Amino acid sequence: MGTLVRFGVSIEKSLVERFDRLLDASGYANRSEALRDLMRSRLVQEEVSDPRASVLGVFSLVYDHHRRELERHLKEIQHRAHHRIISATHVHVDHDTCLEVILLRGKAGEIRSLADALAGLKGVKHTSLSLTSVRGL
Ligand code: NI
């Protein structure tokens, strides 16, 4: 941790009370740690909103195991983007459903496009993309 700076903030009592209740429920040791995390979270959100930013991504997709051609398309798209894919884990959830979790790195815009291409395939039921950046943390 770098040099610590203390600063005063004026906040409505009711807002602080609600925040403190949330902290109690979340397991934060103190307000400072919770505020630091909120600030980092907002900074990461801002960072990854730039399509040119270097990011890490976690993309998960749930899809229909029986949908013909889907697995071939999923693999083709991933092979074309092999330089952006760190790893992919496949889980056979049940007789009908597969879950794939793909770790990615690259420019935010490229990662979002790749996720959109995979999400748009027929038979994909649910997807989730989480982007993070380690810059400035
Ligand atoms: Ni499977």
mmCIF file of all heavy atoms in Angstrom, residues 80-106:
data_model
loop_
_atom_site.group_PDB
_atom_site.id
_atom_site.type_symbol
_atom_site.label_atom_id
_atom_site.label_comp_id
_atom_site.label_asym_id
_atom_site.label_seq_id
_atom_site.Cartn_x
_atom_site.Cartn_y
_atom_site.Cartn_z
ATOM 1 N N ARG A 80 -10.101 -18.846 -33.890
ATOM 2 C CA ARG A 80 -9.743 -17.610 -34.588
ATOM 3 C C ARG A 80 -9.219 -16.550 -33.622
ATOM 4 O O ARG A 80 -8.460 -15.679 -34.006
ATOM 5 C CB ARG A 80 -10.968 -17.059 -35.353
ATOM 6 C CG ARG A 80 -11.224 -17.773 -36.663
ATOM 7 C CD ARG A 80 -11.964 -16.876 -37.649
ATOM 8 N NE ARG A 80 -13.267 -16.457 -37.158
ATOM 9 C CZ ARG A 80 -14.395 -17.152 -37.328
ATOM 10 N NH1 ARG A 80 -14.378 -18.297 -37.991
ATOM 11 N NH2 ARG A 80 -15.535 -16.699 -36.865
ATOM 12 N N ALA A 81 -9.637 -16.648 -32.359
ATOM 13 C CA ALA A 81 -9.240 -15.660 -31.339
ATOM 14 C C ALA A 81 -8.245 -16.275 -30.346
ATOM 15 O O ALA A 81 -8.141 -15.819 -29.214
ATOM 16 C CB ALA A 81 -10.474 -15.156 -30.604
ATOM 17 N N HIS A 82 -7.485 -17.287 -30.813
ATOM 18 C CA HIS A 82 -6.628 -18.040 -29.882
ATOM 19 C C HIS A 82 -5.646 -17.164 -29.120
ATOM 20 O O HIS A 82 -5.306 -17.432 -27.971
ATOM 21 C CB HIS A 82 -5.855 -19.124 -30.642
ATOM 22 C CG HIS A 82 -4.909 -18.573 -31.657
ATOM 23 N ND1 HIS A 82 -3.605 -18.272 -31.345
ATOM 24 C CD2 HIS A 82 -5.101 -18.234 -32.955
ATOM 25 C CE1 HIS A 82 -3.022 -17.777 -32.429
ATOM 26 N NE2 HIS A 82 -3.902 -17.737 -33.411
ATOM 27 N N HIS A 83 -5.197 -16.063 -29.748
ATOM 28 C CA HIS A 83 -4.212 -15.195 -29.092
ATOM 29 C C HIS A 83 -4.843 -14.373 -27.966
ATOM 30 O O HIS A 83 -4.138 -13.727 -27.193
ATOM 31 C CB HIS A 83 -3.549 -14.286 -30.119
ATOM 32 C CG HIS A 83 -4.524 -13.555 -30.992
ATOM 33 N ND1 HIS A 83 -5.317 -14.206 -31.918
ATOM 34 C CD2 HIS A 83 -4.856 -12.260 -31.050
ATOM 35 C CE1 HIS A 83 -6.077 -13.317 -32.514
ATOM 36 N NE2 HIS A 83 -5.820 -12.129 -32.009
ATOM 37 N N ARG A 84 -6.174 -14.361 -27.872
ATOM 38 C CA ARG A 84 -6.844 -13.614 -26.807
ATOM 39 C C ARG A 84 -7.342 -14.535 -25.692
ATOM 40 O O ARG A 84 -7.802 -14.067 -24.668
ATOM 41 C CB ARG A 84 -8.040 -12.841 -27.366
ATOM 42 C CG ARG A 84 -7.638 -11.814 -28.379
ATOM 43 C CD ARG A 84 -8.758 -10.875 -28.725
ATOM 44 N NE ARG A 84 -8.290 -9.971 -29.760
ATOM 45 C CZ ARG A 84 -8.663 -10.031 -31.034
ATOM 46 N NH1 ARG A 84 -9.530 -10.931 -31.437
ATOM 47 N NH2 ARG A 84 -8.175 -9.171 -31.904
ATOM 48 N N ILE A 85 -7.259 -15.851 -25.947
ATOM 49 C CA ILE A 85 -7.805 -16.802 -24.976
ATOM 50 C C ILE A 85 -6.699 -17.423 -24.134
ATOM 51 O O ILE A 85 -5.763 -18.007 -24.656
ATOM 52 C CB ILE A 85 -8.621 -17.896 -25.697
ATOM 53 C CG1 ILE A 85 -9.843 -17.241 -26.351
ATOM 54 C CG2 ILE A 85 -9.037 -18.997 -24.722
ATOM 55 C CD1 ILE A 85 -10.719 -18.170 -27.137
ATOM 56 N N ILE A 86 -6.831 -17.253 -22.823
ATOM 57 C CA ILE A 86 -5.844 -17.803 -21.898
ATOM 58 C C ILE A 86 -6.174 -19.260 -21.612
ATOM 59 O O ILE A 86 -5.317 -20.132 -21.652
ATOM 60 C CB ILE A 86 -5.838 -17.007 -20.568
ATOM 61 C CG1 ILE A 86 -5.479 -15.540 -20.817
ATOM 62 C CG2 ILE A 86 -4.873 -17.643 -19.567
ATOM 63 C CD1 ILE A 86 -5.744 -14.629 -19.633
ATOM 64 N N SER A 87 -7.448 -19.524 -21.328
ATOM 65 C CA SER A 87 -7.872 -20.893 -21.063
ATOM 66 C C SER A 87 -9.382 -21.010 -21.217
ATOM 67 O O SER A 87 -10.095 -19.996 -21.207
ATOM 68 C CB SER A 87 -7.478 -21.333 -19.642
ATOM 69 O OG SER A 87 -8.298 -20.700 -18.688
ATOM 70 N N ALA A 88 -9.833 -22.236 -21.380
ATOM 71 C CA ALA A 88 -11.272 -22.484 -21.451
ATOM 72 C C ALA A 88 -11.557 -23.774 -20.694
ATOM 73 O O ALA A 88 -10.847 -24.770 -20.858
ATOM 74 C CB ALA A 88 -11.729 -22.609 -22.903
ATOM 75 N N THR A 89 -12.561 -23.713 -19.843
ATOM 76 C CA THR A 89 -12.939 -24.888 -19.057
ATOM 77 C C THR A 89 -14.372 -25.272 -19.417
ATOM 78 O O THR A 89 -15.261 -24.425 -19.431
ATOM 79 C CB THR A 89 -12.869 -24.572 -17.545
ATOM 80 O OG1 THR A 89 -11.538 -24.223 -17.221
ATOM 81 C CG2 THR A 89 -13.281 -25.787 -16.721
ATOM 82 N N HIS A 90 -14.551 -26.548 -19.726
ATOM 83 C CA HIS A 90 -15.864 -27.036 -20.121
ATOM 84 C C HIS A 90 -16.430 -27.912 -19.001
ATOM 85 O O HIS A 90 -15.739 -28.780 -18.485
ATOM 86 C CB HIS A 90 -15.730 -27.846 -21.416
ATOM 87 C CG HIS A 90 -17.041 -28.288 -21.973
ATOM 88 N ND1 HIS A 90 -17.604 -27.688 -23.061
ATOM 89 C CD2 HIS A 90 -17.894 -29.257 -21.588
ATOM 90 C CE1 HIS A 90 -18.761 -28.272 -23.330
ATOM 91 N NE2 HIS A 90 -18.957 -29.225 -22.442
ATOM 92 N N VAL A 91 -17.661 -27.671 -18.642
ATOM 93 C CA VAL A 91 -18.328 -28.498 -17.622
ATOM 94 C C VAL A 91 -19.591 -29.088 -18.240
ATOM 95 O O VAL A 91 -20.428 -28.352 -18.778
ATOM 96 C CB VAL A 91 -18.713 -27.647 -16.385
ATOM 97 C CG1 VAL A 91 -19.403 -28.513 -15.339
ATOM 98 C CG2 VAL A 91 -17.486 -26.962 -15.790
ATOM 99 N N HIS A 92 -19.727 -30.416 -18.188
ATOM 100 C CA HIS A 92 -20.973 -31.055 -18.628
ATOM 101 C C HIS A 92 -21.935 -30.992 -17.447
ATOM 102 O O HIS A 92 -21.866 -31.823 -16.531
ATOM 103 C CB HIS A 92 -20.709 -32.509 -19.022
ATOM 104 C CG HIS A 92 -19.552 -32.659 -19.969
ATOM 105 N ND1 HIS A 92 -19.555 -32.112 -21.226
ATOM 106 C CD2 HIS A 92 -18.366 -33.264 -19.821
ATOM 107 C CE1 HIS A 92 -18.422 -32.396 -21.830
ATOM 108 N NE2 HIS A 92 -17.681 -33.089 -20.996
ATOM 109 N N VAL A 93 -22.816 -30.022 -17.450
ATOM 110 C CA VAL A 93 -23.665 -29.746 -16.281
ATOM 111 C C VAL A 93 -24.672 -30.879 -16.051
ATOM 112 O O VAL A 93 -24.814 -31.384 -14.947
ATOM 113 C CB VAL A 93 -24.410 -28.407 -16.447
ATOM 114 C CG1 VAL A 93 -25.315 -28.138 -15.251
ATOM 115 C CG2 VAL A 93 -23.409 -27.270 -16.623
ATOM 116 N N ASP A 94 -25.364 -31.263 -17.116
ATOM 117 C CA ASP A 94 -26.269 -32.413 -17.048
ATOM 118 C C ASP A 94 -26.399 -32.996 -18.451
ATOM 119 O O ASP A 94 -25.600 -32.675 -19.326
ATOM 120 C CB ASP A 94 -27.638 -32.020 -16.433
ATOM 121 C CG ASP A 94 -28.316 -30.897 -17.202
ATOM 122 O OD1 ASP A 94 -28.107 -30.798 -18.448
ATOM 123 O OD2 ASP A 94 -29.052 -30.112 -16.578
ATOM 124 N N HIS A 95 -27.409 -33.818 -18.702
ATOM 125 C CA HIS A 95 -27.537 -34.473 -20.008
ATOM 126 C C HIS A 95 -27.692 -33.472 -21.150
ATOM 127 O O HIS A 95 -27.330 -33.755 -22.289
ATOM 128 C CB HIS A 95 -28.722 -35.437 -20.007
ATOM 129 C CG HIS A 95 -28.458 -36.694 -19.241
ATOM 130 N ND1 HIS A 95 -27.582 -37.650 -19.682
ATOM 131 C CD2 HIS A 95 -28.926 -37.122 -18.043
ATOM 132 C CE1 HIS A 95 -27.521 -38.637 -18.797
ATOM 133 N NE2 HIS A 95 -28.327 -38.334 -17.782
ATOM 134 N N ASP A 96 -28.258 -32.322 -20.858
ATOM 135 C CA ASP A 96 -28.629 -31.377 -21.911
ATOM 136 C C ASP A 96 -27.807 -30.096 -21.946
ATOM 137 O O ASP A 96 -27.883 -29.351 -22.914
ATOM 138 C CB ASP A 96 -30.109 -30.959 -21.738
ATOM 139 C CG ASP A 96 -31.014 -32.158 -21.564
ATOM 140 O OD1 ASP A 96 -30.898 -33.089 -22.388
ATOM 141 O OD2 ASP A 96 -31.801 -32.176 -20.599
ATOM 142 N N THR A 97 -27.085 -29.820 -20.878
ATOM 143 C CA THR A 97 -26.519 -28.481 -20.710
ATOM 144 C C THR A 97 -25.023 -28.508 -20.488
ATOM 145 O O THR A 97 -24.502 -29.333 -19.735
ATOM 146 C CB THR A 97 -27.183 -27.792 -19.485
ATOM 147 O OG1 THR A 97 -28.595 -27.910 -19.616
ATOM 148 C CG2 THR A 97 -26.800 -26.327 -19.424
ATOM 149 N N CYS A 98 -24.336 -27.572 -21.149
ATOM 150 C CA CYS A 98 -22.904 -27.399 -20.965
ATOM 151 C C CYS A 98 -22.633 -25.993 -20.445
ATOM 152 O O CYS A 98 -23.349 -25.043 -20.773
ATOM 153 C CB CYS A 98 -22.151 -27.544 -22.289
ATOM 154 S SG CYS A 98 -22.320 -29.164 -23.039
ATOM 155 N N LEU A 99 -21.596 -25.870 -19.642
ATOM 156 C CA LEU A 99 -21.110 -24.569 -19.174
ATOM 157 C C LEU A 99 -19.664 -24.437 -19.627
ATOM 158 O O LEU A 99 -18.878 -25.376 -19.479
ATOM 159 C CB LEU A 99 -21.166 -24.486 -17.648
ATOM 160 C CG LEU A 99 -20.369 -23.342 -17.001
ATOM 161 C CD1 LEU A 99 -21.008 -21.999 -17.282
ATOM 162 C CD2 LEU A 99 -20.242 -23.555 -15.496
ATOM 163 N N GLU A 100 -19.331 -23.305 -20.225
ATOM 164 C CA GLU A 100 -17.949 -23.055 -20.591
ATOM 165 C C GLU A 100 -17.524 -21.731 -19.968
ATOM 166 O O GLU A 100 -18.269 -20.747 -20.005
ATOM 167 C CB GLU A 100 -17.803 -23.010 -22.121
ATOM 168 C CG GLU A 100 -16.401 -23.353 -22.564
ATOM 169 C CD GLU A 100 -16.364 -24.063 -23.924
ATOM 170 O OE1 GLU A 100 -17.058 -25.087 -24.076
ATOM 171 O OE2 GLU A 100 -15.662 -23.563 -24.803
ATOM 172 N N VAL A 101 -16.351 -21.744 -19.346
ATOM 173 C CA VAL A 101 -15.797 -20.527 -18.743
ATOM 174 C C VAL A 101 -14.484 -20.236 -19.457
ATOM 175 O O VAL A 101 -13.586 -21.076 -19.481
ATOM 176 C CB VAL A 101 -15.563 -20.696 -17.230
ATOM 177 C CG1 VAL A 101 -14.986 -19.410 -16.644
ATOM 178 C CG2 VAL A 101 -16.851 -21.074 -16.522
ATOM 179 N N ILE A 102 -14.417 -19.065 -20.065
ATOM 180 C CA ILE A 102 -13.261 -18.705 -20.889
ATOM 181 C C ILE A 102 -12.555 -17.501 -20.275
ATOM 182 O O ILE A 102 -13.200 -16.475 -20.002
ATOM 183 C CB ILE A 102 -13.711 -18.378 -22.329
ATOM 184 C CG1 ILE A 102 -14.529 -19.547 -22.905
ATOM 185 C CG2 ILE A 102 -12.512 -18.083 -23.209
ATOM 186 C CD1 ILE A 102 -15.217 -19.215 -24.218
ATOM 187 N N LEU A 103 -11.254 -17.639 -20.040
ATOM 188 C CA LEU A 103 -10.456 -16.510 -19.541
ATOM 189 C C LEU A 103 -9.793 -15.836 -20.729
ATOM 190 O O LEU A 103 -9.188 -16.508 -21.579
ATOM 191 C CB LEU A 103 -9.387 -16.994 -18.563
ATOM 192 C CG LEU A 103 -9.889 -17.724 -17.313
ATOM 193 C CD1 LEU A 103 -8.711 -18.033 -16.380
ATOM 194 C CD2 LEU A 103 -10.921 -16.893 -16.589
ATOM 195 N N LEU A 104 -9.911 -14.525 -20.779
ATOM 196 C CA LEU A 104 -9.457 -13.771 -21.945
ATOM 197 C C LEU A 104 -8.547 -12.622 -21.547
ATOM 198 O O LEU A 104 -8.643 -12.109 -20.421
ATOM 199 C CB LEU A 104 -10.681 -13.179 -22.662
ATOM 200 C CG LEU A 104 -11.756 -14.164 -23.078
ATOM 201 C CD1 LEU A 104 -13.127 -13.569 -22.844
ATOM 202 C CD2 LEU A 104 -11.574 -14.533 -24.520
ATOM 203 N N ARG A 105 -7.686 -12.228 -22.475
ATOM 204 C CA ARG A 105 -6.961 -10.969 -22.278
ATOM 205 C C ARG A 105 -6.803 -10.286 -23.616
ATOM 206 O O ARG A 105 -6.680 -10.926 -24.653
ATOM 207 C CB ARG A 105 -5.627 -11.193 -21.554
ATOM 208 C CG ARG A 105 -4.475 -11.696 -22.383
ATOM 209 C CD ARG A 105 -3.306 -12.116 -21.524
ATOM 210 N NE ARG A 105 -2.950 -11.076 -20.552
ATOM 211 C CZ ARG A 105 -2.170 -11.295 -19.489
ATOM 212 N NH1 ARG A 105 -1.701 -12.501 -19.260
ATOM 213 N NH2 ARG A 105 -1.861 -10.324 -18.678
ATOM 214 N N GLY A 106 -6.851 -8.957 -23.586
ATOM 215 C CA GLY A 106 -6.739 -8.189 -24.823
ATOM 216 C C GLY A 106 -7.342 -6.815 -24.636
ATOM 217 O O GLY A 106 -7.564 -6.364 -23.507
#
